[in-house]
Each structure stands twice: as structure tokens, then as C-alpha cells.
């Protein structure tokens, strides 16, 4: 590696990546625990009786998923939050994560900022860094999260039932609007700042996911766009999804900077919001609204599941809206 000063790979790991994250000092028999953290060939985890391990990995590549000049602390937060969001979507509790970091060079200021952001996010989501890999190459961040969930209770995409209502958490389209702001040098407008924070600091809905285990039939986190992600639920469950577009929750900040049509387009097809989309029987509506108050996250009912296939989106007059692209495609033809 091109080294600033003469740090070895092991110095970097020791200086910037050790001791990151929450480890419970008062674990009970009901808790899964980290027996051995980073520093050996493998980390060791013990799952509590009756728990399953939920795991998921995501990669963020510079120039593809974020601009090269993105602030390292924000990037670290985002990398962890988007992976933890997958745990939320399954109703799993965060336990530990590993990090494969590819760096063009050892740049201390970048590493310090990245480490600070990662530490803050790991404390926030109560998850510990237990190992990883550090290599040289074009900037890329792969992060794998491990969570625990009571055996057989994880929320998945295939459990939706005909007649279920479709709900989403928070507001949609904010992160897609932020993409257009990422290359701005200075952002002073309050609405623009809010949207950028929604992009860099997505809030994985962990608490909501944990509670939904007993209320929802299916769930997914919105990474590629509402319609595209909802299609995964519809397909896996063998059903059709209908979205009432005027019910889709939009933030006042989004409405302040773009037209109503653009806001709706971002909300339906833009990715990166990491809110949860879930389905539940209509009888659960009251419990779900009560849950919204309890966890302090807005929950909005936006449509329903019906026999059939595909995702349709209606306006208030009952006309079907047409979108050429349902969401973000990672591989362009
Ligand atoms: P090995 O050669 O056995 O795969 P490494 O030399 O790659 O081990 O890493 C040494 C130790 O440091 C391991 O415990 C590994 O998990 C940890 N590690 C390496 N890079 C990172 C990183 N970016 N973040 C956290 N832990 C790391
Ligand atoms: Mg080894």
C-alpha cells in the first residue's frame, strides 16, 4: 500500500478498527453472545437456545454507490445502517458485523473519520465489529451483519396473504432527491440538509422490525424503490399489490424542493430510503398504529394485496400510473 507514514495493515486495524461497538456486559441465557471478537482467524458467536442467525452482506463501491469525495464518517454510518436495515426487515436483533475494506491508500484523516462514523453507528445500533479484511484497491466497503431472531419467527417476503394491507414506515423519496444534491459543494438550505442526512444517515428500523414479528405477514426494506421492492413481496407471495399513490408519505422537505409529480416519482421509484414496507391483516391495523406511537416512527397504510400478480399504482381518480422503470437496476443492459 501507498502508506502515509509507515503504518502496516495491522497498525491500521489496531488503531482504527479495534473496540468498535456494543458488547453486552450483562448477557443472560436469553442473549446470543460474542465469545471471541476480532484478532484471531475467526470470531466466535454463541446463539442463545431457540435463536437463529440472520445474516446479510452489502457492498458499497466508490463512484457507483457513493461519490469518491463522500465524507468518510457519513459513509461509514451509511454502510452499517444499510446492512442493519436488512436485519430490521427480518425482525432480527443486531449482534455483530464484519467489515471488508478496500482502500486505494492509507490516508490517516480518512481512516480516522471512517472509524469515528463506524463507532458512532455501531454504538447506536448496539452491534459490535468482530472481524474483517483490509486490502488495497479501488475504494469499496463490504459489510456483513449478523443478527439473532427466535427460530421460525423471522419476517420474510413470501408470507403475505390476499387481503393484507400494505404499510410503510417514515417517508419515501428523500434519499432519491438527495442523490441530486450529492455533488453540490455547499448546502445551506435546511430542506436540502435534511434530505442529505436521510441519504447518509438512513435509520434502520430495528425496533419496529422486532415488534412486527408478531404483527406482520411479510416485510422488506426499501433499498431499490417502493414499487420494485414491493414487487419482491408480491412475487414471493404469489399475489398482486395495489398502491394508492396519494397515500404514499412524503416529507415536507421533499415537497419543498421538488414538484408534486417529481416527489411522487422519487417516492415510488427512488431507492436508498431504507424504510420498511410490510403487509399485515386488516385486523392488525389498530395494533400497528399503536406500535407507531410506541416506537416513534410514522407508519402509513398505502394499499393492499390481492389475488393475481404484479404491482399497480393508482391515482385518486382510479387511473393506473405507468412507470417505465420500477426501481434502481444495478446492472444496466
Ligand atoms: P487472516 O489472514 O487470518 O484472514 P487478517 O490478517 O486478514 O487475518 O486479519 C487479522 C485480524 O484482523 C482478523 O481477526 C480480522 O478479522 C481482523 N481484521 C482485518 N481487517 C479488519 C477490518 N477492516 N475491520 C475489522 N477487523 C479486521
Ligand atoms: Mg487466518
Amino acid at each position: 500500500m501507498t502508506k502515509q507514514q509507515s503504518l502496516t495493515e495491522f497498525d491500521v486495524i489496531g488503531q482504527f478498527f479495534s473496540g468498535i461497538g456494543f458488547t453486552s456486559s450483562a448477557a443472560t441465557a436469553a442473549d446470543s453472545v460474542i465469545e471471541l471478537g476480532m484478532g484471531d482467524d475467526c470470531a466466535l458467536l454463541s446463539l442463545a437456545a431457540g435463536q437463529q442467525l440472520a445474516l446479510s452482506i452489502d457492498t458499497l463501491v466508490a463512484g457507483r454507490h457513493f461519490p469518491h469525495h463522500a465524507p468518510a464518517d457519513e459513509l461509514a454510518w451509511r454502510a452499517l445502517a444499510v446492512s442493519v436495515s436488512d436485519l430490521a426487515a427480518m425482525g432480527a436483533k443486531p449482534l455483530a458485523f464484519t467489515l471488508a475494506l478496500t482502500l486505494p491508500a492509507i490516508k490517516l484523516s480518512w481512516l480516522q473519520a471512517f472509524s469515528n462514523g463506524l463507532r458512532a453507528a455501531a454504538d447506536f445500533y448496539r452491534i459490535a465489529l468482530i472481524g474483517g479484511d483490509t486490502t488495497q484497491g479501488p475504494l469499496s466497503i463490504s459489510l456483513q451483519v449478523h443478527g439473532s431472531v427466535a427460530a421460525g419467527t423471522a419476517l420474510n417476503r413470501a408470507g403475505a396473504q390476499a387481503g393484507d394491507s400494505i404499510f410503510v414506515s417514515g417517508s419515501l423519496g428523500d434519499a432519491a432527491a438527495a442523490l441530486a444534491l450529492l455533488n453540490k459543494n455547499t448546502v445551506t438550505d435546511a430542506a436540502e440538509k435534511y434530505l442529505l442526512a436521510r441519504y447518509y444517515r438512513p435509520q434502520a428500523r430495528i425496533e419496529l422490525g422486532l415488534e412486527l414479528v408478531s404483527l406482520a405477514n411479510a416485510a422488506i426494506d426499501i433499498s431499490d424503490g417502493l414499487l420494485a421492492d414491493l414487487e419482491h413481496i408480491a412475487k414471493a407471495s404469489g399475489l398482486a399489490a395495489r398502491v394508492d399513490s396519494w397515500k404514499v408519505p412524503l416529507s415536507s422537505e421533499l415537497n419543498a424542493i421538488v414538484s408534486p409529480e417529481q416527489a411522487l416519482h422519487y417516492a415510488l421509484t427512488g431507492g436508498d430510503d431504507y424504510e420498511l414496507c410490510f403487509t399485515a391483516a386488516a385486523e392488525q391495523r389498530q395494533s400497528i398504529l399503536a406500535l407507531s406511537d410506541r416506537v416513534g416512527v410514522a407508519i402509513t397504510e398505502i394499499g393492499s394485496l390481492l389475488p393475481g400478480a404484479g404491482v399497480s399504482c393508482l391515482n385518486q381518480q382510479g387511473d393506473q400510473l405507468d412507470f417505465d422503470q420500477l426501481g434502481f437496476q444495478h446492472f444496466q443492459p
Side-chain angles (χ1 to χ4, degrees):
M1 277 190 154
T2 317
K3 284 165 194 153
Q4 190 179 315
Q5 297 164 17
S6 53
L7 281 190
T8 66
E9 173 192 337
F10 298 104
D11 295 332
V12 168
I13 297 165
Q15 190 169 333
F16 298 106
F17 297 109
S18 63
I20 287 190
F22 171 88
T23 41
S24 174
S25 51
T28 68
D31 292 318
S32 297
V33 291
I34 298 158
E35 306 283 2
L36 182 64
M38 60 184 284
D40 214 313
D41 291 309
C42 289
L44 297 171
L45 303 179
S46 288
L47 284 185
Q51 295 284 308
Q52 281 176 324
L53 186 66
L55 56 94
S56 170
I57 186 164
D58 278 296
T59 295
L60 299 179
V61 176
R64 177 78 182 137
H65 299 106
F66 61 87
H68 289 269
H69 64 263
D73 50 346
E74 303 276 28
L75 211 50
W77 180 290
R78 180 172 156 74
L80 184 56
V82 304
S83 290
V84 166
S85 172
D86 284 318
L87 296 178
M90 299 292 286
K93 185 176 170 188
L95 177 60
F97 70 103
T98 51
L99 169 71
L101 191 58
T102 305
L103 300 168
I106 293 180
K107 203 175 152 207
L108 296 185
S109 56
W110 192 94
L111 277 164
Q112 190 58 60
F114 188 84
S115 171
N116 293 346
L118 196 62
R119 199 177 296 278
D123 287 342
F124 183 80
Y125 289 116
R126 301 168 81 82
I127 189 167
L129 179 59
I130 56 165
D133 195 27
T134 308
T135 53
Q136 185 177 22
L139 179 59
S140 149
I141 304 158
S142 289
L143 204 149
Q144 184 171 44
V145 286
H146 303 74
S148 63
V149 59
T153 70
L155 293 166
N156 57 37
R157 301 175 181 189
Q161 305 291 315
D164 273 6
S165 292
I166 301 168
F167 299 87
V168 291
S169 65
S171 62
L172 302 183
D174 294 337
L179 289 181
L181 303 171
L182 290 184
N183 287 319
K184 269 191 147 182
N185 279 337
T186 43
V187 171
T188 47
D189 178 74
E192 291 186 351
K193 276 189 176 167
Y194 172 86
L195 297 173
L196 277 173
R198 289 275 290 156
Y199 173 81
Y200 278 123
R201 298 196 162 231
Q203 301 291 302
R205 302 298 187 191
I206 284 294
E207 217 188 327
L208 177 60
L210 290 173
E211 298 255 7
L212 284 178
V213 159
S214 56
L215 293 173
N217 290 330
I220 193 167
D221 65 326
I222 303 176
S223 54
D224 292 343
L226 172 67
L227 299 183
D229 287 315
L230 189 52
E231 188 165 39
H232 293 309
I233 289 185
K235 208 170 190 172
S237 301
L239 293 169
R242 201 204 64 213
V243 173
D244 297 329
S245 64
W246 69 97
K247 296 180 182 166
V248 172
L250 307 173
S251 69
S252 56
E253 289 83 356
L254 178 61
N255 278 321
I257 71 157
V258 298
S259 68
E261 296 73 30
Q262 181 68 71
L264 182 61
H265 196 271
Y266 279 147
L268 294 174
T269 66
D272 295 312
D273 282 318
Y274 297 96
E275 294 294 347
L276 294 186
C277 173
F278 58 95
T279 84
E283 305 89 85
Q284 303 291 3
R285 189 174 287 129
Q286 287 317 314
S287 311
I288 286 170
L289 296 180
L291 170 60
S292 165
D293 287 343
R294 202 156 66 246
V295 300
V297 177
I299 296 176
T300 311
E301 186 174 348
I302 59 161
S304 54
L305 287 163
L306 314 159
V311 177
S312 59
C313 190
L314 306 181
N315 66 16
Q316 219 157 353
Q317 289 70 48
D319 307 320
Q320 198 157 318
L321 301 177
D322 228 4
F323 289 98
D324 24 27
Q325 229 194 337
L326 280 189
F328 180 76
Q329 303 288 321
H330 287 274
F331 289 95
Q332 266 104 33

